[in-house]
């Protein structure tokens, strides 16, 4: 059952072979058993989850079920959910019980999904290893001495360890895709504006995007169907007709069933296979590209000349926005306030010094600096111009290809603590992922093999704006022909 | 040594929308603390701003009214600083690309008209309030006002005295109310001025160091604060010191300005475009739609009153001092079918005098324009004299009613019956033969004495023009 | 470029984060490493390139001027560090 797809679980629920209450309880049991070794969940509230499950059962009984009704979903602790502790991995919000629901949470609740719990993450989503959260690091289910990636590492580890059927995460510079790659699952960051950011605690507003995480492309499509949609409360939410992201999954591009991806042009950027890419990852990705060709896709060499500047530009823009977004955590209206302080400025300074962890403070300082008087043009404006060039690179590439394929991360999961003291090394992990955020493009990661130490390798697919359904189709067709996505870490049976 | 003063004014006008600029919370004044501070206003984690169309329309209306450029594309930025009444730790405000650029306002001064150039007007959100009553040595924060839409209207440094600054502020106050974008309630803080004041020796070509006096919420405080600040700066320089650029606060009790400590180190606001908000686009159609809905503006009305109604520039200025006064005047002359000069002089004279004594605004006048028209018609028709009309006005002001009824009831009606007047005058001539002789001998004064006797005989109700005419005829005959 | 210790302290003050001398020293090292990475941006000419602030070239949607919110201050203040009489309390604000 814990390897079942959403479709299979829905069928079991619809046929009354399984109730949502039973399903939820069995996942809660698994969480209780396996989570202590993984630290994937920050909070579980069995009573709340089971109440939702019972409501879902009634709904199913009344014949009003939707595709996700009764399905437990793990929520990254960045999504505000009414009545749930919502900490964003920070001591600053250690006691923050959200008084409202994020749009995504509303949508999932309305669909009858069950909140299984809130998952661990890098503090305020700032990190690529899920080690910076105030409740300690997430451990990779494939090797508990290694990181699960970040910042949505808790959601990734939960799905990988089969302690949640699916999960939701957020991606500002790779925070869905990179942990998905490092834990051997699938994750998708939609086109900017497809999923409402309302109620998603902001890291970098112009880059943040919520998205689905799961075992297969098909599961992602079903989850994205519920997460996506216009929301008037988010000015950047796009008003467009509702889309069924699963509609193309089983619709091959041509009638040739042996070559379902015939006609698909996959662009392979030269810059993604250069210095810095580990040999094991390169080998797995190369093999996967060959598999795509076998399925009928055509490989086209492309260039994204400004790729090398995406990390520098990202580490100006994201901290700049973050430094401002995190100013609201001041100890006045909610969250942590220092126990002892003198005057008002002292209250602010102690509250923020004690409430934020080292990486968050570091990024606030970077952001404050690049926006400060005399540096704005040299850093922030320059980064915005490079951002334009990066977007233009993609636009030029999509004249010649439909999807861009490459590695999600330059290496497999690294050891816990290996990079926390070297921020630059940590930031360079995002080298293949941040460009999609800067350009606002949809991007996903799917498992595509194993590398050093038997650790999973992820393949990244980057599409043109609103190409989610096309990407999911390509991934699904690949997954019909391969079984990387079905591999389960040892010790999670 | 002679000094000159240079003043620029920044005004924060609260826009009269029912909801806040970025949230759906009410902007009504006077609610209990924080009951109108919604999730967006208190900046809960994860909430986002969405711009209010009503605030944008009002900003455009203002821009069109002052002849400014309306930017087709403007941007909201974040102004970052920490203050407990600023829940997000930044204020959303237009910085580099404001919605309204340029424009000007003409101001009526004793010595004539002056044009004050506007630099810009931009949309932004108001902050909450810190209450300084003692809560165990702490301050209390009320965020009801946080997120109220403001239009910040910035002038060029075009004013050179407190008097000019006040005249500008009054003209701006009248305009924002005129076009219905701000209720102008200064006690409630709906219209607040900051004055940038500097002094320099006459003839100097560089500006002196300026101080900004914040939050002046009455015209009197504006005047007093500027006058104090000008004296302070001159004395400082004359004593060998120099002015430090800073933000100051006016203390009306002491009639002094003082340095604002809290603003001292807040110079680096780290402005950048708000990533939660997209560029504001205003279409040509929207601009034309708003233009077509604009009322006739004070300057246009003034010109029309002078050109078409032959009023003096002064009267035209008085009648356009607010939209309510202009409306009263236009209703009055409409009911009267003309009589512009008569109407103007009665509004500027009797009506304003009575309103001022009663401490009322024209909109609160106990005497409607229709009632006053009734009174002025009696004057036009020669039923009563102007002098009698003042008594009738007082009666109407105090007790209400219509002019015709009061005139009839109190027998104030003028005697205009020629037969009756001739009888009176015959009697007067018979009884004053000496005066008649003197008049015929060429002494004009004697004629006036005879008129006086005739008026006395009619107890003041004789129509003076008719009496004159009949007397002349009889004396000539 | 490189950040001096006083600059690190100044930005920590602007960001209202208390920082000890030792922390400032460590932060200085990290920040300078990071800025070395960021400086790579200066290697490309971006003359004439329009800055890009958003992923999509769309404009602001406007909300009708209507009151849609109700009074939830009791709920919101239930999670506040210190409130009294409906007000959030903070150390004395000096103007």
């Amino acid at each position: 059952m814990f390897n079942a797809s959403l479709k299979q679980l829905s069928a079991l629920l619809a046929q009354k072979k399984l109730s949502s209450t039973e399903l939820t309880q069995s996942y809660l049991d698994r969480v209780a058993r396996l989570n202590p070794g993984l630290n994937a969940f920050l909070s579980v509230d069995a009573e709340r989850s089971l109440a939702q499950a019972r409501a879902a059962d009634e709904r199913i009984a009344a014949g009003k079920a939707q595709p996700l009704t009764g399905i437990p979903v793990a929520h990254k602790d960045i999504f505000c959910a009414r009545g749930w502790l919502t900490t964003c991995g920070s001591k600053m919000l250690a006691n923050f019980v959200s008084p409202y629901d994020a749009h995504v949470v509303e949508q999932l609740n309305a669909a009858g999904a069950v909140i299984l719990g809130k998952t661990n993450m890098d503090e305020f989503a700032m990190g690529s290893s899920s080690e910076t959260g105030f409740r300690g690091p997430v451990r990779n289910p494939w090797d508990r001495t290694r990181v699960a990636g970040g910042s949505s590492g808790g959601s990734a580890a939960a799905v990988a360890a089969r302690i949640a059927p699916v999960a939701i995460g957020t991606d500002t510079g790779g925070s869905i895709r990179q942990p998905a790659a490092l834990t051997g699952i699938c994750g998708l960051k939609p086109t900017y504006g497809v999923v409402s950011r309302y109620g998603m605690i902001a890291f970098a507003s112009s880059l943040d995007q919520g998205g689905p995480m799961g075992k297969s492309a098909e599961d992602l499509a079903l989850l994205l169907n519920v997460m996506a949609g216009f929301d008037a409360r988010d000015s950047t939410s796009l008003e467009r007709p509702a889309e069924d992201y699963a509609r193309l999954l089983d619709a091959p591009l041509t009638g040739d069933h042996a070559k379902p991806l015939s006609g698909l042009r996959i662009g392979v950027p030269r810059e993604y296979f250069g210095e810095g890419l580990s040999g094991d990852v390169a080998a797995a990705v190369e093999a996967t590209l060959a598999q795509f060709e076998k399925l009928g896709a055509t490989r086209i060499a492309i260039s994204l000349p400004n790729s090398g500047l995406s990390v520098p530009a990202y580490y100006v823009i994201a901290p700049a926005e973050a430094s401002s977004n995190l100013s609201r955590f001041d100890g006045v209206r909610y969250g942590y306030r220092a126990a002892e302080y003198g005057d008002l400025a002292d209250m602010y300074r102690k509250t923020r010094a004690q409430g934020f962890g080292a990486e968050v403070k570091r990024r606030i300082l970077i952001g404050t600096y690049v926006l400060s008087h005399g540096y704005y043009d040299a850093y922030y404006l320059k980064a915005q111009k490079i951002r334009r060039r990066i977007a233009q690179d993609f636009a030029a590439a999509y004249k010649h290809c439909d999807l861009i394929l490459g590695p999600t991360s330059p290496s497999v999961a690294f050891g816990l603590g290996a990079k926390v003291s070297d921020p630059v090394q940590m930031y360079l992990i995002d080298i293949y992922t941040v460009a999609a955020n800067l350009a606002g493009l949809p991007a996903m990661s799917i498992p595509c093999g194993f590398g050093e130490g038997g650790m999973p390798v992820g393949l990244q697919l980057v599409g043109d704006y609103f190409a989610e359904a096309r990407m999911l189709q390509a991934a699904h067709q690949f997954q019909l022909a391969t079984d990387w996505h079905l591999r389960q870490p040892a010790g999670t049976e | 040594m002679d000094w000159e003063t240079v003043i620029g004014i920044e005004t924060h006008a609260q826009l009269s929308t029912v909801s806040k600029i970025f949230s759906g919370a009410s902007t009504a004044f006077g609610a209990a603390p924080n009951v109108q501070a919604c999730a967006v206003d208190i900046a809960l984690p994860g909430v986002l701003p969405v711009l209010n169309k009503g605030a944008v329309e009002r900003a455009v209306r203002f821009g069109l009214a002052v002849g400014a450029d309306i930017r087709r594309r403007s941007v909201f930025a974040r102004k970052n600083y920490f203050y407990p009444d600023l829940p997000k730790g930044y204020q959303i405000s237009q910085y580099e690309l404001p919605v309204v650029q340029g424009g000007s306002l003409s101001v009526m001064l004793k010595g004539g008209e002056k044009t004050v150039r506007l630099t810009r007007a931009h949309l932004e959100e108001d902050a909450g309030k810190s209450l300084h009553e003692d809560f165990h040595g702490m301050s209390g924060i009320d965020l009801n006002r946080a997120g109220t839409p403001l239009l910040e209207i910035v002038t060029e440094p075009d004013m050179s005295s407190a008097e000019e600054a006040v005249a500008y502020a009054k003209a701006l106050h009248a305009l924002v109310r005129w076009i219905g974008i701000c209720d102008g309630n200064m006690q409630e803080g709906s219209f607040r001025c900051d004055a940038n004041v500097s002094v320099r020796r006459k003839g100097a070509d560089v500006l002196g160091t300026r101080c900004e006096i914040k939050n002046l919420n009455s015209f009197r405080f504006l005047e007093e604060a500027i006058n104090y600040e000008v004296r302070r700066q001159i004395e400082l320089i004359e004593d060998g010191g120099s002015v430090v650029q800073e933000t100051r606060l006016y203390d009306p009790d002491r009639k002094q300005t003082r340095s604002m400590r809290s603003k001292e180190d807040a110079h680096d606001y780290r402005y950048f475009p708000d990533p939660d908000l997209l560029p504001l686009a205003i279409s040509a159609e929207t601009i034309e739609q708003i233009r077509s809905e604009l009322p006739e503006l004070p300057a246009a009305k003034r010109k029309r009153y002078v050109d078409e109604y032959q009023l003096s520039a002064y009267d035209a200025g008085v009648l356009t001092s607010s939209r309510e006064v202009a409306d009263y005047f236009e209703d009055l002359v409409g009911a009267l079918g003309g009589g512009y000069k008569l109407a103007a002089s009665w509004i500027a004279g009797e009506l304003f005098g009575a309103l001022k004594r009663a401490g009322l605004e024209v909109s609160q006048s106990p005497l409607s324009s229709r009632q006053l028209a009734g009174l002025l018609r009696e004057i036009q028709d020669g039923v009563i004299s102007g002098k009698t009309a003042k008594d009738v006005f007082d009666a109407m002001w105090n007790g209400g009613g219509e002019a015709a009824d009061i005139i009839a009831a109190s027998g104030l009606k003028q005697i205009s019956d020629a037969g009756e007047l001739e009888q009176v005058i015959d009697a007067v001539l018979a009884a004053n033969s000496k005066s008649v002789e003197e008049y015929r001998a060429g002494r004009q004064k004697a004629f006036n004495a005879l008129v006086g006797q005739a008026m006395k005989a009619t107890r003041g109700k004789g129509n003076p023009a008719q009496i004159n005419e009949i007397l002349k005829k009889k004396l000539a005959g | 470029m490189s950040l001096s210790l006083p600059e690190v302290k100044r930005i920590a003050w602007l960001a209202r984060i208390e920082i000890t001398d030792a922390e400032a020293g460590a932060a200085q090292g990290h920040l300078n490493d990071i800025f070395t990475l960021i400086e790579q941006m200066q290697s490309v000419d971006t003359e004439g390139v329009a800055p890009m602030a958003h992923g999509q070239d769309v404009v602001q949607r406007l909300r009708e001027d209507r009151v849609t919110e109700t009074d939830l201050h009791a709920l919101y203040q239930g999670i506040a560090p210190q409130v009294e009489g409906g007000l959030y309390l903070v150390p004395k604000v000096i103007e």
Side-chain angles (χ1 to χ4, degrees), chain A residues 191 230 232 234-235 237 309 333 337 349-350 352 362 369 375 378-379 382 384 387-388 421 423 465, chain C residues 1 7 13 15-16 18 30 35 39 41-42 44-46 49-53 56 60-61 80 82 89:
Chain A
T191 304
F230 173 67
D234 174 0
S235 295
S237 171
L309 295 175
R333 297 162 315 285
R337 180 189 283 196
R349 294 170 67 234
K350 287 199 162 64
R352 290 166 60 81
R362 186 145 54 227
Y369 185 71
Y375 298 102
Y379 292 115
K382 182 83 182 178
Q384 298 277 42
R387 182 178 187 177
R388 170 84 58 198
S421 57
Y465 299 107
Chain C
M1 67 146 292
E7 274 180 305
W13 164 255
R16 295 296 184 275
E18 189 177 61
H30 283 139
F35 275 97
E39 285 301 324
M41 291 197 310
Q42 312 304 341
V44 299
D45 181 11
T46 48
V49 178
M52 176 171 165
Q56 298 280 330
Q60 179 63 32
R61 178 167 24 83
Q82 202 177 354
L89 295 195

Side-chain angles (χ1 to χ4, degrees), chain B residues 102-119:
Chain B
S104 65
L105 193 62
S106 72
V107 174
M108 304 298 287
L109 295 167
K110 284 199 187 90
E113 205 170 308
K114 173 172 179 140
T115 298
V116 174
R117 292 168 301 155
L118 302 181
T119 313

Side-chain angles (χ1 to χ4, degrees), chain A residues 32 45 78 120 132 139 142 149 155 158 173 280-281 334 360 468-469 489:
Chain A
D45 186 336
I78 200 168
N120 201 352
T132 68
R139 291 168 183 275
W142 294 90
S155 286
D280 54 340
V281 174
Y334 46 77
V360 169
E468 287 86 350

Side-chain angles (χ1 to χ4, degrees), chain B residues 378 383-384 388 392 402-414 461:
Chain B
E378 301 293 337
V383 177
I384 52 171
T388 306
V392 178
E402 299 299 328
D405 299 336
I406 293 168
I407 291 163
S410 45
L412 292 168
K413 196 169 172 175
Q414 199 160 256
K461 287 188 282 179

Side-chain angles (χ1 to χ4, degrees), chain A residues 82 96 99 191-192 206 230 232 234-235 237 239 309 311-313 315-316 331-335 337 341 343-345 347-350 352-353 361-362 364-366 368-370 372 375 378-379 382-389 391 421 423-424 427 438-439 465, chain C residues 1-3 7-8 10-19 23 27 30-31 33-35 37-61 72 75-77 79-82 88-94:
Chain A
R82 187 170 176 153
F96 182 74
T191 304
Y192 184 82
S206 78
F230 173 67
D234 174 0
S235 295
S237 171
E239 235 171 329
L309 295 175
V311 168
Y315 278 94
V316 169
V332 176
R333 297 162 315 285
Y334 46 77
R337 180 189 283 196
Y341 47 82
D343 63 6
L344 179 65
M347 189 278 277
Y348 284 149
R349 294 170 67 234
K350 287 199 162 64
R352 290 166 60 81
K361 285 191 260 193
R362 186 145 54 227
I364 290 174
L365 294 182
I366 298 169
T368 303
Y369 185 71
V370 298
S372 68
Y375 298 102
Y379 292 115
K382 182 83 182 178
Q384 298 277 42
K385 290 177 176 183
I386 288 174
R387 182 178 187 177
R388 170 84 58 198
R389 289 194 135 197
S421 57
V424 169
Y427 297 174
L438 290 169
Y465 299 107
Chain C
M1 67 146 292
S2 85
L3 267 85
E7 274 180 305
V8 172
R10 186 183 68 87
I11 56 176
W13 164 255
L14 271 179
R16 295 296 184 275
I17 294 173
E18 189 177 61
I19 192 164
E23 287 166 339
H30 283 139
L31 292 177
D33 289 348
I34 294 163
F35 275 97
L37 174 72
I38 288 172
E39 285 301 324
Q40 291 174 15
M41 291 197 310
Q42 312 304 341
S43 67
V44 299
D45 181 11
T46 48
E47 186 70 35
V49 178
M52 176 171 165
H54 293 95
Q56 298 280 330
D57 187 21
V58 282
V59 297
Q60 179 63 32
R61 178 167 24 83
L72 292 174
L75 174 68
Y76 297 152
Q77 297 194 337
I79 51 171
Q82 202 177 354
Y88 297 98
L89 295 195
V90 296
K92 198 123 200 93
V93 174
I94 298 156

Side-chain angles (χ1 to χ4, degrees), chain A residues 63-342:
Chain A
K64 290 178 179 159
Q66 288 175 17
L68 286 193
T69 305
I71 306 287
V73 178
H75 291 217
K76 186 178 184 180
D77 207 24
I78 200 168
F79 290 97
C80 286
R82 187 170 176 153
W84 283 85
L85 199 59
T86 300
T87 70
C88 218
S90 182
K91 180 180 173 185
M92 190 59 95
L93 290 176
N95 62 358
F96 182 74
V97 176
S98 176
Y100 78 106
D101 281 332
H103 181 253
V104 167
V105 174
E106 279 177 358
Q107 302 267 95
L108 284 164
N109 286 345
V114 173
I115 302 177
L116 182 60
K118 306 294 289 288
T119 60
N120 201 352
M121 55 186 285
D122 280 300
E123 185 181 7
F124 284 105
M126 297 177 192
S128 307
S129 65
S130 297
E131 293 173 285
T132 68
F134 80 124
R135 298 263 301 272
V138 179
R139 291 168 183 275
N140 194 315
W142 294 90
D143 176 351
R144 285 165 175 73
T145 69
R146 302 200 194 212
V147 302
S151 65
S152 309
S155 286
V159 173
R162 302 335 192 221
I163 58 177
V166 284
I168 58 174
T170 60
D171 190 315
T172 306
S175 279
I176 286 175
R177 291 160 285 158
Q178 187 258 12
L182 269 47
T183 59
I185 66 155
C186 305
L188 180 125
K189 178 202 93 73
T191 304
Y192 184 82
V194 162
V195 170
S196 167
R197 293 182 299 113
Y198 188 82
M200 221 173 83
I201 299 176
F203 161 14
S205 310
S206 78
L207 305 168
D208 294 345
Q209 191 61 195
M213 302 175 81
K215 295 185 289 290
S216 66
E218 182 188 75
D219 283 4
L220 298 188
L222 296 175
L223 190 49
L224 182 59
N225 275 347
V226 176
M227 297 178 76
F230 173 67
D231 177 16
R233 293 165 304 182
D234 174 0
S235 295
T236 61
S237 171
L238 296 168
E239 235 171 329
R240 46 197 306 278
E243 188 177 335
D244 176 8
Y245 293 100
R247 70 185 187 281
L248 300 178
L249 292 178
D250 293 307
L253 292 164
T254 61
D256 184 351
H257 286 274
K259 291 184 180 295
L261 297 181
S262 285
L264 182 74
R265 298 169 302 163
I266 53 174
V268 180
R270 159 159 57 98
E271 294 80 4
Y272 284 19
F273 292 85
E275 199 191 337
L277 180 65
S278 312
D280 54 340
V281 174
V285 171
E286 273 301 338
T288 304
L289 293 172
Q291 179 68 36
F292 269 87
E293 286 179 287
K294 239 173 90 184
L295 293 171
T298 317
R299 178 173 174 157
I300 293 166
I302 60 161
S303 173
L304 298 170
N306 292 288
S307 297
L309 295 175
S310 61
V311 168
Y314 175 85
Y315 278 94
V316 169
I317 292 168
E321 294 183 8
S323 70
S324 176
N325 282 335
L326 269 59
S327 291
R328 67 188 59 198
F329 302 104
D330 59 3
V332 176
R333 297 162 315 285
Y334 46 77
Y336 181 77
R337 180 189 283 196
E340 285 175 26
Y341 47 82

